[in-house]
Amino acid sequence: MGLPDMDGGGLAISFRTALRTVPTCLAWGAAWIGLTYVALYHDADGARLPSIQGGGLLLAALVALLVSIRRHREQPRQLSQQRAELRALSQFRESVIDNASIWINVLDPGARVTVWNKAAEEISGYRRDEVLNNLSIWEWLYPDPDYRATVVNAAAAILDKGIEVRGFESRIRTRRGEEKTISWSSRRFFGEKGEMVGSIAIGEDITARKRAEEALRERERQLATLMANLPGMAYRCLNDPNWTMKFVSSGCWSLTGHAPEALVDNGEVSYGDLVHPEDRERIWIEVQQAILAGRPFALEYRLIRRSGDEIWVWEQGRAVHIDERELIEGIIIDITDRKAMEQELAWLATRDALTGLYNRRELMQQFQEAVLRGAGGPRPLAVLLLDDDHFKRVNDSFGHATGDEVLRRIGELLRTNVRQTDSAARYGGEELVVVLPAMASAEALEAAERLRTLVAAQRIAAGDGRTLAITVSVGVAVFPEHGKTPEELLESADRALYRAKHAGRDCVVLASLSPPQIPSGEAAT
């Protein structure tokens, strides 16, 4: 720093030397004053001048001598004080700057490093002795020329224009080749005489924080992408009868026809009001049971959209506790198409594809259930077995397409002219069956006659401008007179059908308690 390099021992020696020279200086001073007095203040005759004038001169000389001696004695003290200040500054640097956990460096006006603390060494990997006054550090830290120019310009703006920066982020390349992000706060500072000494910068290694922020932004981006592409609506709601929504995803639009803000906090409508009235109580019970058991729930129910359309939805969710409040989180998906497919598959599994009536398997299941209900008490049950008259002749004369149309027309008549409690089915070929619960013989015969009449009134276009009249023969059997099982009842109805065929067709016959006698060699078709 331009100051002598003295330690305490050297200062003490200088001080003692100065003290030893004081008597000598006094003696020589007195001699010099005496000689001057003799030379200057005696006249030619040797007469003395007035003593007052000589005494004043002597006093002035003594004062000057004492001041000189005092200054000589004060110099070691000043040197000692400056040395102490330097030592304090050095201790400050070692205890505060070097031991700081953040990067601290100082640049001189030429952008050379003059201070480089231990944290700077640890973060960058470059030692102090290779960085100080070495402009290569800029290239080491910022190997990309364009990026380096940006950072250097920022440092120059601090030094030249006095711009103070806070939170300026730069990416450095460490000695080990790692990339780190440093957040800088920097300003220039001045010396005692007002001259610009350089700039001081404090750098915080925020690499881990930036990576965490980037990971968080990536998760948020993925979540936003997921939410935007969900085939439904994600939600968070209160566990109340209105299912008060606290958050809904943008899928709310396509699912309900309402904007998200229309449902949040029941702004325009509550989600509970959108649930089909017939499903609300069931949903509430199932959700509460799942929450009580501590398990997730899955539901299927109907939802009424803003347009009034009714759709089927599937919801899966579970209870969560946030800020000591119980909430429900989940997802709701439109399953209308899936539900329609399921219903179609269920229909195909139980229906005859040609006539739309129940198939034989479904008929026997419902027939068995009806018989079991009748076996529990005096509840009659009737079964009608219908057969299209001359069906083989229709296929041979007009083709199978016309025969299929005949069966479709009869099947449509049965579907639309039996009770909801009745079951109509295609039993096989051209044979059709109707099961009539809670119906005795007289009522069953009336029902059979009404159906026969409806069929006889039908006309089928057979091509070439011709029309085809169709008729059916009907056999009737009643539980329990004609059988106590579905098989026995169908067998009795089949015997009655044969009797109707041999009686001229297009008629209704009630089963008898004894098997009919059919002439040999004849067949009913």
Side-chain angles (χ1 to χ4, degrees):
M1 298 295 292
L3 295 176
D5 187 9
M6 295 185 182
D7 57 15
L11 288 174
I13 294 172
S14 298
F15 184 66
R16 288 194 297 270
T17 302
L19 288 178
R20 287 196 300 269
T21 60
V22 170
T24 304
C25 289
L26 288 174
W28 280 104
W32 174 76
I33 292 172
L35 290 174
T36 303
Y37 182 81
V38 171
L40 296 178
Y41 296 100
H42 283 79
D43 56 15
D45 298 331
R48 291 182 178 272
L49 291 176
S51 62
I52 295 176
Q53 183 181 10
L57 181 61
L58 179 60
L59 180 61
L62 287 172
V63 169
L65 181 60
L66 289 173
V67 170
S68 176
I69 293 172
R70 179 180 178 88
R71 288 181 177 174
H72 186 75
R73 293 177 61 186
E74 288 293 331
Q75 185 177 11
R77 294 182 183 177
Q78 293 175 355
L79 292 174
S80 178
Q81 183 178 357
Q82 291 177 353
R83 184 62 178 175
E85 291 176 355
L86 288 174
R87 187 182 298 110
L89 288 174
S90 178
Q91 290 174 350
F92 175 81
R93 190 196 69 174
E94 293 177 358
S95 62
V96 177
I97 296 179
D98 266 357
N99 293 325
S101 60
I102 56 177
W103 179 326
I104 299 177
N105 68 257
V106 174
L107 301 180
D108 66 13
R112 293 178 176 83
V113 177
T114 59
V115 172
W116 189 263
N117 72 340
K118 291 181 179 178
E121 289 184 327
E122 293 174 357
I123 295 173
S124 69
Y126 293 104
R127 300 187 312 275
R128 180 183 303 158
D129 58 350
E130 60 185 341
V131 168
L132 295 182
N133 298 309
N134 188 351
L135 288 175
S136 297
I137 186 60
W138 296 97
E139 184 177 348
W140 299 342
L141 294 179
Y142 306 104
D144 180 77
D146 295 334
Y147 189 66
R148 181 169 64 251
T150 302
V151 178
V152 169
N153 290 337
I158 298 171
L159 291 168
D160 299 339
K161 301 178 182 179
I163 296 175
E164 183 174 348
V165 300
R166 292 182 182 275
F168 176 80
E169 295 181 5
S170 70
R171 299 183 307 276
I172 69 166
R173 179 69 60 82
T174 70
R175 189 179 198 126
R176 293 179 294 275
E178 301 171 335
E179 185 175 282
K180 292 186 177 182
T181 303
I182 310 297
S183 175
W184 299 99
S185 295
S186 181
R187 62 180 300 176
R188 65 182 182 179
F189 65 99
F190 299 86
E192 295 180 356
K193 297 181 181 180
E195 76 280 10
M196 197 271 289
V197 177
S199 65
I200 182 169
I202 297 176
E204 180 185 0
D205 184 357
I206 59 172
T207 307
R209 190 184 77 194
K210 294 292 288 186
R211 288 174 180 170
E213 290 175 354
E214 181 62 29
L216 179 60
R217 284 194 295 270
E218 178 62 18
R219 286 195 297 271
E220 290 176 347
R221 185 194 65 78
Q222 292 175 352
L223 181 60
T225 302
L226 175 63
M227 290 292 184
N229 290 278
L230 278 176
M233 180 182 82
Y235 71 89
R236 175 184 292 165
C237 73
L238 300 179
N239 184 21
D240 62 16
N242 288 325
W243 307 117
T244 301
M245 293 294 170
K246 306 305 291 184
F247 162 80
V248 292
S249 67
S250 58
C252 178
W253 277 109
S254 59
L255 185 73
T256 69
H258 293 278
E261 55 268 22
L263 267 68
V264 173
D265 291 325
N266 305 326
E268 295 178 10
V269 62
S270 73
Y271 186 80
D273 290 336
L274 302 182
V275 178
H276 196 286
E278 295 178 3
D279 297 335
R280 290 173 188 170
E281 183 178 0
R282 173 178 62 83
I283 291 174
W284 174 261
I285 293 173
E286 290 186 17
V287 171
Q288 301 313 308
Q289 289 176 343
I291 293 176
L292 187 62
R295 56 176 173 79
F297 59 84
L299 309 167
E300 291 184 5
Y301 55 90
R302 291 163 291 177
L303 199 67
I304 301 174
R305 302 183 76 250
R306 184 177 184 178
S307 61
D309 296 336
E310 183 180 300
I311 62 173
W312 276 92
V313 299
W314 175 83
E315 177 181 351
Q316 183 170 8
R318 69 177 307 146
V320 296
H321 289 82
I322 301 176
D323 296 332
E324 299 182 355
R325 182 170 60 168
E326 185 179 68
L327 299 170
I328 298 175
E329 291 182 339
I331 184 173
I332 304 171
I333 298 175
D334 184 351
I335 61 167
T336 304
D337 293 341
R338 193 199 81 188
K339 202 70 176 179
M341 183 178 296
E342 289 178 354
Q343 292 172 347
E344 182 179 358
L345 291 174
W347 189 88
L348 292 174
T350 60
R351 300 281 177 165
D352 173 64
L354 178 63
T355 64
L357 301 175
Y358 287 120
N359 57 30
R360 181 168 182 164
R361 183 175 61 85
E362 184 65 17
L363 167 73
M364 296 307 294
Q365 181 176 341
Q366 295 192 15
F367 200 175
Q368 183 68 37
E369 293 174 357
V371 169
L372 291 176
R373 288 193 297 269
R379 301 180 61 183
L381 171 71
V383 57
L384 312 182
L385 183 60
L386 297 83
D387 186 89
D388 180 28
D389 294 330
H390 305 295
F391 185 72
K392 185 176 182 302
R393 186 184 304 171
V394 170
N395 281 333
D396 293 342
S397 302
F398 300 98
H400 289 281
T402 302
D404 290 345
E405 181 60 26
V406 169
L407 291 177
R408 276 194 293 268
R409 184 69 60 83
I410 298 175
E412 181 180 356
L413 287 173
L414 295 184
R415 287 199 314 273
T416 57
N417 289 279
V418 297
R419 303 169 302 175
Q420 289 186 347
T421 57
D422 300 336
S423 300
R426 184 181 181 185
Y427 190 64
E430 70 274 16
E431 291 185 335
L432 309 173
V433 173
V434 180
V435 178
L436 306 170
M439 189 172 288
S441 299
E443 296 171 321
L445 287 173
E446 291 178 4
E449 183 60 28
R450 178 171 59 84
L451 292 175
R452 184 199 65 78
T453 302
L454 288 172
V455 173
Q458 300 297 308
R459 295 293 182 270
I460 305 295
D464 299 331
R466 295 178 297 172
T467 58
L468 175 65
I470 56 177
T471 61
V472 292
S473 299
V474 185
V476 180
V478 179
F479 172 87
E481 295 96 315
H482 305 123
K484 296 183 179 181
T485 66
E487 292 75 16
E488 291 177 354
L489 287 170
L490 285 171
E491 185 177 352
S492 296
D494 187 53
R495 289 198 297 266
L497 175 62
Y498 270 96
R499 288 169 55 195
K501 291 286 188 180
H502 286 281
R505 298 181 175 82
D506 192 21
C507 62
V508 176
V509 174
L510 180 65
S512 63
L513 298 180
S514 59
Q517 299 295 322
I518 300 176
S520 60
E522 296 186 16
T525 59

